[in-house]
Amino acid sequence: MNLKELYQEIILEHGKNPRNLGKTDDFNKDAKGHNPLCGDNVHVFLKLNGQKIVEEISFEGSGCAISMASASIMTDLIKGKNEHEAKEIVEDFLGMIKENPELKSENLEEDEKTKLMCLSGVKQYPMRVKCATLSWHTLVSAFDNDKEYVKTEN
Amino acid sequence: MINEVKKDRISYGELPNKYEAGTMATAQVIAFDQSIKFLESVGIENVMKHEAELVEYGQELLQKNNSVKLIGNPKNKGGVLSFTIEGIHPHDVATILDEDGVAIRAGHHCCQILHDKLNIPASSRASVGIYNTKDDLDKLNDAINNCKKIFNL
């Protein structure tokens, strides 16, 4: 276990100053996510163009440093990607949090991968995995415009 | 409880019996008996006195700690210390404290309406019991300072 690995500077910085926080103007897809055990809430907004490319992405919500940083980094990386690429990145991220030591995605630049890898420390803290994954599950739900709440508990 | 078990099929008892299956909680019954004996040997008044002393000590300690905000200060306070740390979410607090060997509970503690009223998303809560000492509360305070260090506060 390594706290320094979990709370890296970049995580703390994104947690304190989340990027793309707020409601995107003219969003055409959105979904809410909720983690009932910790009370974390997230609302993801997407503006897709005709080619299904994410022109704008933002989120509203509150939660711990891990959940805010994860949502913030997610919006940073997903902006400009198309739906297919975005979903592959989500799969890759979830895989990394569970078991894969490396990211496979061909849709991310090296510096983007480095940024995403900063969240891999969460893997050592099973209790905190849900904090990191809530916004990503909610993103998928937004693409599918699923009006049901995403929950991390079933 | 079952009705009948064969190699290729099983049928269960009528309600509520079907949900009353399993071995009797023998270990728990014996442990509970021992717990009562232990508490009686110490004396419940002494347990309460010990907890009250610890909570008072903990309150004084945490009050002196900048950026720690204690929640609730009723008369006859029980053996708990609820608090928030400015700038750090309680779940982050719990994870960092855990690494320092201090186990607390974090979240809304099945009490969302109170947290809404207090206008906080969640809180941290340390509990003390007969097995705790003032030294444990010093460790809690040290671990809180470590949180602040990790979060550059």
Side-chain angles (χ1 to χ4, degrees), chain A residues 2-142:
Chain A
N2 189 345
L3 278 179
K4 285 261 150 58
E5 220 172 286
L6 182 64
Y7 291 107
Q8 296 183 29
E9 280 304 320
I10 181 168
I11 304 278
L12 295 175
E13 204 275 316
H14 273 265
K16 215 180 223 173
N17 308 301
R19 319 292 193 271
N20 308 305
L21 186 67
K23 194 192 266 186
T24 303
D25 291 334
D26 315 323
F27 67 91
N28 46 23
K29 295 261 183 188
D30 75 307
K32 285 180 181 175
H34 179 46
N35 189 341
L37 281 187
C38 41
D40 285 357
N41 277 304
V42 70
H43 192 163
V44 174
F45 303 93
L46 292 174
K47 186 181 173 190
L48 298 187
N49 67 14
Q51 284 79 49
K52 289 199 164 185
I53 291 171
V54 178
E55 278 190 358
E56 291 293 337
I57 175 170
S58 71
F59 76 102
E60 284 180 338
S62 65
C64 60
I66 308 292
S67 70
M68 295 305 275
S70 185
S72 172
I73 289 172
M74 176 187 84
T75 55
D76 250 4
L77 299 186
I78 296 300
K79 196 170 174 177
K81 308 285 194 296
N82 68 37
E83 178 171 346
H84 179 72
E85 290 166 341
K87 283 185 172 174
E88 273 189 6
I89 294 168
V90 174
E91 280 304 306
D92 214 12
F93 170 76
L94 295 177
M96 176 190 81
I97 293 290
K98 281 178 199 134
E99 55 215 9
N100 303 334
E102 290 195 19
L103 293 166
K104 285 174 277 182
S105 181
E106 288 160 13
N107 305 314
L108 292 171
E109 303 288 334
E110 278 310 309
D111 61 325
E112 292 178 320
K113 282 188 180 177
T114 308
K115 203 185 266 183
L116 196 51
M117 288 295 282
C118 290
L119 287 160
S120 66
V122 177
K123 184 161 49 180
Q124 297 172 58
Y125 297 84
M127 287 293 291
R128 306 305 302 281
V129 165
K130 284 170 191 161
C131 309
T133 56
L134 179 65
S135 55
W136 296 77
H137 287 301
T138 309
L139 171 66
V140 173
S141 179

